[in-house]
Amino acid sequence: MLKKSKKPSVAIFGLTSCEGCQFSILDLHEKFLGLTKYIDLDEFRLIEDEKERSHYDIAFVEGNPVTTENLHILKRIRRISDIVVVLGNCADLGGVWEIKNYHDYKKIGCYVYGGQCKTIENRKIIEVPKAIKADYVIPGCPINAQNFLDLVYNLLNKKPWALKDNPVCWECQINKNPCLLQQGKICLGPIAKAGCNAVCLNSHQECWACRGIISQSAQKTKNLIKILKSHGWSKADVLEKMEFFGARDRIEAALKEAEEANKKVKK
Ligand code: SF4
Ligand code: SF4
Ligand code: SF4
C-alpha cells in the first residue's frame, strides 16, 4: 500500500529486455496520459531520461538482470522504492533469457563467441522475484497493459489488487476457438495463467504460458503431459515448448509435487 497521500513518485525501469512491455504501457495512449494526472512520473526512459532520484513510491521493473550491472541496478531500485512491481515475462520468469539455464550455457557461449567467450559475461539467469523481494507481478510477454493501469489505480485508491487464477482454456473457450490440444498440438492452455484473452489462440497459435502457470497445477500438468504423449510427443518436445517463456522450472516443480502426492496416496 502507498504510505502518503501526495502524488506518488512512479518509475518505470528496463533491465535487459526488448522494451515491449514498456511500449505496451505507451500503447494505452490517452488512458496513460489520464493516469499521469495522478502520479509524478519520475523515470520512464521511453519518454525522457530523468535525473536519478533517491526514492520512489512505486517502481516497475521490466527485463531481466542478465548482467552484473543489471543486478546492481535492480538491488538499488529495491533499496530506494517502497513498492516494486515486476513487469512482464523476462522479469517474472526469466523469459527467453532463461532458455540457457536449461542447457550447457557456458559451452553455448563459447560456441557463439569463440575464443572471446571468456571475456564476455555469461551469468546464469535469475528471475527478478528470486533476486529481490517483489510486491506485485504483472505477467505476460508482453504485459496486458490494462493490468498495469488497474494496479496503479488500485494502489492510488488503497485497494488490494490480484489477478485471477484461471487457465487460458477458460478464455479460449469463451472466445469459441477450436481446441489445438485436441488436434494434437502442444498447447499449455490448461495450466497457463489466463488474463490475455487467449490472444495466441485467437490467432490459432498454441499457448506456451508466457504468463506463468496457475496455482495447484500439479495434477493438471501430469494429465496434460499424458495427453500430449498420447498424441506422439515426447517429454523432451513438451519441455522445449515450456522453456520458451521460462516456465519450465515451475512446471517441473509442479510435476515433482504431483509425483510426491501420488507416492503419499500409494503408501
Ligand atoms: S516480457 Fe516480452 S515484451 Fe516484455 S520485455 Fe520481455 S520479451 Fe519484451
Ligand atoms: S486450444 Fe489450448 S487454450 Fe484453447 S481450449 Fe484447447 S488446450 Fe485450452
Ligand atoms: S495465450 Fe498463452 S502464450 Fe499467448 S499471451 Fe496468453 S498466456 Fe501468453
Side-chain angles (χ1 to χ4, degrees):
M1 289 279 166
L2 284 174
K3 286 180 187 157
K4 302 161 202 150
S5 52
K6 70 167 179 64
K7 268 185 171 189
S9 163
V10 174
I12 301 173
F13 293 99
L15 301 175
T16 302
S17 71
C18 79
E19 300 185 333
C21 291
Q22 295 184 70
F23 275 105
S24 298
I25 294 172
L26 284 184
D27 279 345
L28 285 164
H29 301 291
E30 62 275 14
K31 282 189 189 172
F32 179 64
L33 287 177
L35 175 69
T36 57
K37 286 186 218 151
Y38 305 104
I39 60 173
D40 283 329
L41 191 59
D42 289 330
E43 173 66 47
F44 191 7
R45 198 179 61 81
L46 293 191
I47 296 180
E48 196 176 15
D49 261 337
E50 298 280 349
K51 261 207 324 229
E52 225 173 59
R53 314 256 163 167
S54 56
H55 171 261
Y56 300 101
D57 291 300
I58 313 171
F60 290 86
V61 181
E62 182 214 61
N64 192 273
V66 165
T67 62
T68 306
E69 191 193 352
N70 281 167
L71 198 57
H72 288 318
I73 293 170
L74 177 64
K75 291 193 171 166
R76 179 172 186 271
I77 293 169
R78 177 66 276 183
R79 278 198 304 277
I80 63 173
S81 311
D82 291 343
I83 296 172
V84 175
V85 185
V86 170
L87 203 60
N89 176 268
C90 292
D92 177 24
L93 296 180
V96 289
W97 314 109
E98 201 179 274
I99 296 175
K100 73 175 183 173
N101 281 11
Y102 303 112
H103 303 274
D104 186 342
Y105 64 91
K106 291 202 169 144
K107 197 170 158 191
I108 296 170
C110 287
Y111 178 79
V112 175
Y113 296 107
Q116 286 178 313
C117 67
K118 292 209 168 49
T119 61
I120 290 168
E121 196 177 10
N122 185 11
R123 297 172 64 251
K124 199 166 179 199
I125 295 302
I126 181 165
E127 298 160 2
V128 169
K130 288 184 182 163
I132 57 159
K133 178 185 165 285
D135 298 292
Y136 297 93
V137 173
I138 299 180
C141 178
I143 58 158
N144 174 346
Q146 189 60 43
N147 292 162
F148 164 85
L149 267 191
D150 292 343
L151 171 59
V152 180
Y153 277 120
N154 279 28
L155 289 172
L156 290 172
N157 291 306
K158 304 198 186 312
K159 285 186 183 166
W161 178 87
L163 290 169
K164 290 200 178 81
D165 195 25
N166 297 324
V168 168
C169 292
W170 189 69
E171 290 173 339
C172 176
Q173 288 308 290
I174 288 174
N175 295 345
K176 297 188 170 38
N177 290 313
C179 180
L180 302 181
L181 184 60
Q182 282 177 359
Q183 293 169 20
K185 295 185 180 157
I186 301 179
C187 182
L188 306 182
I191 56 167
K193 211 179 267 176
C196 57
N197 193 29
V199 62
C200 301
L201 292 312
N202 299 344
S203 311
H204 310 292
Q205 300 286 323
E206 300 94 334
C207 170
W208 292 349
C210 78
R211 296 172 61 84
I213 59 169
I214 50 170
S215 54
Q216 299 187 333
S217 58
Q219 202 54 48
K220 289 187 188 104
T221 307
K222 213 170 159 220
N223 294 343
L224 175 63
I225 292 188
K226 207 165 151 192
I227 294 169
L228 288 167
K229 279 187 176 167
S230 76
H231 284 296
W233 296 104
S234 67
K235 194 172 169 189
D237 294 327
V238 183
L239 290 177
E240 191 192 332
K241 297 289 186 272
M242 292 169 172
E243 281 176 13
F244 197 84
F245 287 115
R248 176 172 161 176
D249 51 350
R250 313 273 172 114
I251 293 170
E252 284 181 317
L255 280 173
K256 204 168 161 210
E257 196 189 306
E259 272 163 30
E260 274 160 19
N262 283 350
K263 271 188 214 156
K264 273 189 198 158
V265 170
K266 279 181 193 158
K267 271 185 190 170

